[in-house]
Amino acid sequence: MVFLTGKDSHEDEKLGFELGAADYIHKPISIPVLRSRVRTHLQNKQSKDFLRVQNGYLETKVLKRSSELDRMQNAVVFALASLAETRDPETGNHTLGTQHCVKLLAEHLAENEKYQELLTSKKIDTYFKATLLHDIGKVGIIDSILLKSGKISLRS
């Protein structure tokens, strides 16, 4: 909005800008000044529109890239969990059971006002995925200990 007015006091200008004016031009109007200011405002509008479109494009690219990174992270976690499972066949079902227990526990805690801010659905999902790795240490244990039946003692 551009004010074209005969009112030229500072108070009138201030009021015009407070009401949302982009410019305040006093009479008598100079056609070259008016053209220049309108051209400047149109260029500003075009620039704002361009930036809005670019921001939308960039937001879309960031969301797409974030989604790709999430998929890659999930694949790495799953691969590591599968590695632990190859060392101990019982790990698979145990890991899945533990994973669902952690999720249920976190969801239950999230119902408590004390934990609602901490346990967001995104955080619970992170815990759910990370639980797959809770037995990853089995990868580094030698078979004679990892696969031994019965109790493990210092002499075993």
Side-chain angles (χ1 to χ4, degrees):
M1 176 176 9
V2 176
F3 278 86
L4 300 173
T5 180
K7 297 183 177 186
D8 61 357
S9 73
H10 292 293
E11 291 80 22
D12 290 328
E13 273 188 30
K14 181 180 174 189
L15 178 61
F17 286 118
E18 286 174 356
L19 292 172
D23 208 343
Y24 195 94
I25 303 173
H26 304 251
K27 290 182 182 177
I29 296 167
S30 164
I31 297 300
V33 169
L34 179 61
R35 281 190 181 132
S36 177
R37 289 196 179 171
V38 168
R39 184 173 37 254
T40 299
H41 290 297
L42 289 174
Q43 288 170 344
N44 284 342
K45 169 85 167 79
Q46 287 175 337
S47 295
K48 286 179 184 178
D49 290 347
F50 175 78
L51 287 175
R52 188 178 61 250
V53 169
Q54 284 299 106
N55 283 341
Y57 170 76
L58 291 174
E59 285 175 12
T60 301
K61 293 291 273 183
V62 166
L63 288 173
K64 182 179 177 186
R65 185 66 177 142
S66 293
S67 177
E68 289 171 2
L69 289 173
D70 282 346
R71 284 195 306 275
M72 285 190 287
Q73 182 184 44
N74 291 342
V76 168
V77 168
F78 184 76
L80 288 171
S82 295
L83 179 62
E85 187 178 343
T86 61
R87 295 293 321 278
D88 180 6
E90 293 178 17
T91 296
N93 290 331
H94 161 73
T95 298
L96 293 176
T98 303
Q99 187 181 36
H100 288 282
C101 284
V102 165
K103 184 176 184 180
L104 286 172
L105 178 61
E107 287 172 343
H108 181 71
L109 284 172
E111 293 172 6
N112 184 318
E113 189 175 317
K114 182 177 178 180
Y115 301 106
Q116 283 177 348
E117 285 186 38
L118 178 66
L119 292 172
T120 62
S121 60
K122 184 173 179 148
K123 180 84 64 138
I124 291 171
D125 188 53
T126 299
Y127 291 157
F128 180 75
K129 292 174 186 174
T131 303
L132 283 174
L133 299 177
H134 81 274
D135 271 341
I136 193 65
K138 289 183 176 181
V139 171
I141 298 173
I142 60 173
D143 286 347
S144 62
I145 294 174
L146 181 64
L147 303 176
K148 182 182 184 306
S149 61
K151 287 185 173 184
I152 296 177
S153 66
L154 292 176
R155 291 181 231 150
S156 296

